[in-house]
Structure formats: structure tokens, C-alpha cells
Amino acid sequence: MMKKLLVLVMALGMFGISQAQEFDLGIKAGVNFSQFQDAKNFDSDSRTGLLAGAFVGVKFSDRFAIQPEILYSQQGSDSDFGDYHIDYVNVPVIFKFYLIGDVLNVQAGPQFGFVANDDFPEFEAIEEQVEAESFDMSAAVGAGLDLPFGLSVDARYNFGFTETIENTDAKNGVFSLALGYSFL
């Protein structure tokens, strides 16, 4: 599944490069504030985690761009019963619409997440431990600023659509702030 998704993202990028007015390549890092949403009988607190990765931006016109990314993202939730930490390799495909020149943009798009690591509390009374679902589908919405000297700032919220933990209704809800640097 991940190989097919990466091939699709690369194909979109190659098509975009051939049609684009501007091409962008860069890195980004930031912080996540995540919490499980829709979890019945589960009172949880936010987990603060890191976000880091790379992006490819393709600007088609003065107002429209697409930006596929590959990000390592620490997510999960903390509770009185223990800390539920899930680390993902996320592949968001972000569509940008520029509101003010080439500076302020709004962002939206799908995000495909693949579990890289999960760390849950162990309960002696439960024979089989709780496990994370291996795939997470979500939607990202946010805003960004493209600053001088190749810098950018993004603020996004990701709404999870799929269960995060097997046999629960818990879904990811993640607010992220990131700083990016473009090499081109």
C-alpha cells in the first residue's frame, strides 16, 4: 500500500513539474499537539510531539499549488490510565490556494498515515495487548505563510477518519505548527 501511494505522489509530482510555473523542494520541522477524538469512556489529555520531514511544492498559477510531503509525526494521547504514543510516517497531499500574493495561503488535502511505532501501557488483566491500527486516513486544513529567504510557516489541523486503536472509536485529532525551508 505504501509503495503504491509513494508512486502516486511521485507521479503527481512529475506531472506537476511538467505543468508548473514554479517548483519547490524543502524540509520542515515543528510540533504536534495531538489527542484522541470520539473516544467513548476515555478521558485523555493532549500529547506534545515532534514533526519533521520533507516536501515538494509545485505552483501551477499565481493562486494554486500542490505540496506532497513525507513527515515523521509523533502523535497519540495521554491519560490517567497511561500514555498512548503512536508515531507515524504521514504522507499529506496539500492543495494550497493563495489569498494574498504569494505570501498567505489556505491549505487542505488528504493525509495517509502509516504506523512506525506504537507504545501503549501494559495491563496485567488483559491477555492481548491493545494495538494501533496500521493505517490512518485523515484530512488536513490550515493556513501558511511563505516568507522571504525560503522560509515558510504552517498551522494545520488534521481530522482523523479511521480508528486509531483497534476496537475503539478513537480517532486522531492533531494540531501542528511547522517551520519550513525551501532549497529552491
Side-chain angles (χ1 to χ4, degrees), residues 16-115:
I17 291 169
S18 67
Q19 303 294 318
Q21 291 182 353
E22 291 181 39
F23 177 72
D24 202 9
L25 176 66
I27 57 174
K28 68 187 313 183
V31 62
N32 285 335
F33 304 97
S34 63
Q35 188 171 6
F36 295 145
Q37 305 296 319
D38 300 331
K40 296 176 183 159
N41 301 321
F42 186 86
D43 187 26
S44 65
D45 296 320
S46 178
R47 176 191 183 199
T48 303
L50 297 176
L51 168 75
F55 62 87
V56 175
V58 180
K59 197 165 184 183
F60 293 101
S61 68
D62 291 339
R63 294 190 121 6
F64 182 71
I66 185 171
Q67 183 171 298
E69 303 172 350
I70 186 161
L71 304 170
Y72 187 81
S73 179
Q74 294 178 329
Q75 297 174 203
S77 200
D78 295 338
S79 76
D80 292 338
F81 300 108
D83 299 338
Y84 294 80
H85 294 176
I86 308 173
D87 298 343
Y88 291 92
V89 173
N90 285 330
V91 182
V93 180
I94 301 299
F95 297 92
K96 293 183 173 184
F97 181 76
Y98 285 84
L99 298 172
I100 300 174
D102 59 352
V103 177
L104 178 64
N105 62 74
V106 292
Q107 307 173 359
Q111 177 173 278
F112 311 95
F114 304 90
V115 172

Side-chain angles (χ1 to χ4, degrees), residues 113-136:
F114 304 90
V115 172
N117 182 43
D118 63 0
D119 183 22
F120 295 155
E122 294 184 17
F123 301 104
E124 292 180 22
I126 302 175
E127 289 184 25
E128 292 185 24
Q129 295 300 311
V130 177
E131 291 190 30
E133 294 288 351
S134 61
F135 178 75
D136 181 57

